[in-house]
Amino acid sequence: MHVNLLSSLELLIPERQSKTKKLNSTFPTVCSILAPGALASLVYSYYDVELVKNCLFWRRGLSDVYLVETLSKPYILRVSHHHWRSKNEIDFELELLEFLRDRQILVASPLRTKEGNLSIEIDAPEGKRYAALFHYAPGEIALGDFNHTQSFLLGETVAKLHQATKGFKTVAYRQPLDLKHLLDDSLQIIAPFLHRRQQDLKYLLEAIALIKYQLSSLPAKSPYWVVCWGDPHSGNVHITRNNQMTLFDFDQCGYGWRVFDIAKFWQVGLQTGLSRTIRQAFLDGYLSYEKITDIELECLQALTQAAYIWAWAIALNYAKFYDYSRLDNSYFSQRLERFKQLNCKDWQLF
């Protein structure tokens, strides 16, 4: 049954009918769920694909993801959230994926529409959203997590990706993964939640100041500065039985230090309990293709902490919209305890 909130109120309060009728009948929306059937029709109309037989709402994350099945093959449709990414930021990512595909880096690349566009603009109730259709990455996510061989291969692949991005050019702008974005912008999101935990806030402020100092000597120029994937971990890779890897989810990509991608892999691995030998295999794989300097190696702990703070801020933003009940005292206590582990002498042992 369709229920209109304003119409119901008018029945309860007849004397206000003349005023409420002038109001817009659509209630404000933060993030709508777009109907899979309508998206299936959209895909078939805009893309040169076979008849779509099924469209399933796969999962909600930083964007909404749909599994689109045609008569012969599957695709992934990603629909951005209005509050998360601008078209400019999305264009940067999609153009990067095309660029990497053309240079034989195995990524789940976007398809262009019949008119040659990389995305479709959708007028959702909350505002503009953008849909992009991707080739489905062959294989599956690693069972449990990476083994030594898979971690090594991914590290090698990321090194090849960094080498390839040196020729990437675009007019689209995306916020670089610099200290302002990783630390200052993240602090603006985290700090309001710690206003009743002044000692914890003081600790975080001092830790961020130390991270900035430790990274102050790391040059933001070639060869140190490349386009980073931004989120390398086992959940963003499909692997075939012969260990062919296809990378996907470049939503957090941007210009940054090449060792940041190593630090981000370590940060996720430490958080999920990936063993030290498996984490080290990623670095070994990277070094098998691309050598890095001693100064970069010395910055890995500080960058791992920066990656943690950045990921924490992103998770907070998500929870504010969709899962605020999680943000209790225990949540922040656990988060701070994990961060303190990254900030100690024996951080690699956790």
Side-chain angles (χ1 to χ4, degrees):
M1 186 176 92
H2 176 75
V3 177
N4 184 289
L5 180 60
L6 291 178
S7 297
S8 301
L9 286 172
E10 287 173 7
L11 292 174
L12 292 172
I13 314 174
E15 66 271 19
R16 294 187 180 177
Q17 285 188 32
S18 59
K19 293 181 180 180
T20 55
K21 284 180 180 177
K22 296 177 182 179
L23 297 176
N24 190 324
S25 61
T26 302
F27 199 83
T29 304
V30 173
C31 191
S32 58
I33 296 178
L34 304 182
L39 288 172
S41 299
L42 191 77
V43 167
Y44 186 66
S45 298
Y46 277 82
Y47 291 93
D48 188 14
V49 297
E50 294 178 293
L51 184 66
V52 177
K53 66 176 183 179
N54 216 357
C55 181
L56 302 170
F57 188 11
W58 198 244
R59 67 177 177 86
R60 166 154 284 180
L62 296 178
S63 298
D64 286 346
V65 178
Y66 295 79
L67 175 66
V68 176
E69 297 175 315
T70 66
L71 294 174
S72 64
K73 63 169 67 171
Y75 298 90
I76 291 294
L77 182 71
R78 192 188 70 191
V79 184
S80 67
H81 291 163
H82 176 67
H83 60 269
W84 174 240
R85 290 292 184 203
S86 68
K87 186 176 186 305
N88 215 16
E89 292 172 316
I90 294 167
D91 286 345
F92 182 102
E93 175 196 354
L94 299 180
E95 289 175 23
L96 172 65
L97 288 169
E98 269 202 333
F99 178 88
L100 292 172
R101 178 202 63 202
D102 292 345
R103 279 146 188 82
Q104 285 72 56
I105 303 295
L106 293 179
V107 294
S109 59
L111 286 76
R112 287 189 176 265
T113 66
K114 296 173 183 177
E115 296 180 350
N117 299 315
L118 283 169
S119 63
I120 303 169
E121 184 179 281
I122 296 175
D123 286 316
E126 65 273 23
K128 302 293 184 186
R129 298 178 66 179
Y130 298 92
L133 188 67
F134 295 84
H135 291 284
Y136 192 90
E140 297 177 342
I141 290 173
L143 182 63
D145 213 315
F146 282 152
N147 59 35
H148 187 280
T149 299
Q150 292 164 342
S151 185
F152 184 95
L153 289 173
L154 183 62
E156 182 182 49
T157 301
V158 171
K160 293 176 180 178
L161 183 155
H162 288 168
Q163 189 67 244
T165 65
K166 291 178 181 178
F168 177 63
K169 302 207 179 288
T170 178
V171 297
Y173 175 78
R174 181 175 274 226
Q175 171 69 51
L177 304 177
D178 55 15
L179 294 182
K180 177 187 179 301
H181 182 55
L182 297 175
L183 298 176
D184 295 340
D185 294 350
S186 296
L187 181 62
Q188 292 298 313
I189 295 169
I190 298 170
F193 289 93
L194 300 179
H195 71 282
R196 294 181 181 175
R197 305 175 63 139
Q198 287 300 307
Q199 284 300 111
D200 290 330
L201 180 57
K202 182 174 181 289
Y203 175 83
L204 185 61
L205 289 168
E206 290 173 351
I208 287 175
L210 181 58
I211 293 169
K212 287 181 176 180
Y213 173 76
Q214 292 169 332
L215 297 177
S216 60
S217 59
L218 193 56
K221 61 181 182 180
S222 182
Y224 309 93
W225 194 255
V226 297
V227 182
C228 292
W229 178 2
D231 201 18
H233 61 81
S234 60
N236 287 339
V237 183
H238 273 183
I239 308 173
T240 62
R241 290 184 178 180
N242 63 349
N243 277 332
Q244 176 182 288
M245 293 186 165
T246 302
L247 318 182
F248 55 88
D249 193 355
F250 278 64
D251 182 63
Q252 296 178 37
C253 70
Y255 282 99
W257 291 292
R258 59 186 177 183
V259 286
F260 178 76
D261 267 344
I262 300 172
K264 189 63 163 64
F265 181 85
W266 280 9
Q267 175 258 311
V268 176
L270 283 159
Q271 201 164 328
T272 58
L274 200 62
S275 72
R276 184 174 183 176
T277 55
I278 304 298
R279 300 196 306 268
Q280 182 63 37
F282 181 90
L283 176 59
D284 293 341
Y286 192 98
L287 294 174
S288 72
Y289 188 84
E290 180 80 280
K291 300 305 177 187
I292 57 179
T293 63
D294 289 342
I295 189 173
E296 290 174 286
L297 289 171
E298 291 167 2
C299 288
L300 273 173
Q301 183 178 8
L303 281 170
T304 301
Q305 294 175 68
Y308 182 90
I309 291 170
W310 183 50
W312 183 8
I314 292 172
L316 269 180
N317 256 347
Y318 181 87
K320 283 194 298 184
F321 278 98
Y322 309 114
D323 202 6
Y324 202 92
S325 64
R326 290 179 54 214
L327 306 182
D328 55 14
N329 276 330
S330 64
Y331 169 88
F332 290 97
S333 295
Q334 290 171 6
R335 280 283 184 171
L336 286 160
E337 187 57 36
R338 286 177 188 162
F339 178 69
K340 289 176 182 178
Q341 291 174 352
L342 296 179
N343 196 27
C344 72
K345 182 180 178 181
D346 297 324
W347 69 289
Q348 281 277 37
L349 298 180
F350 292 100

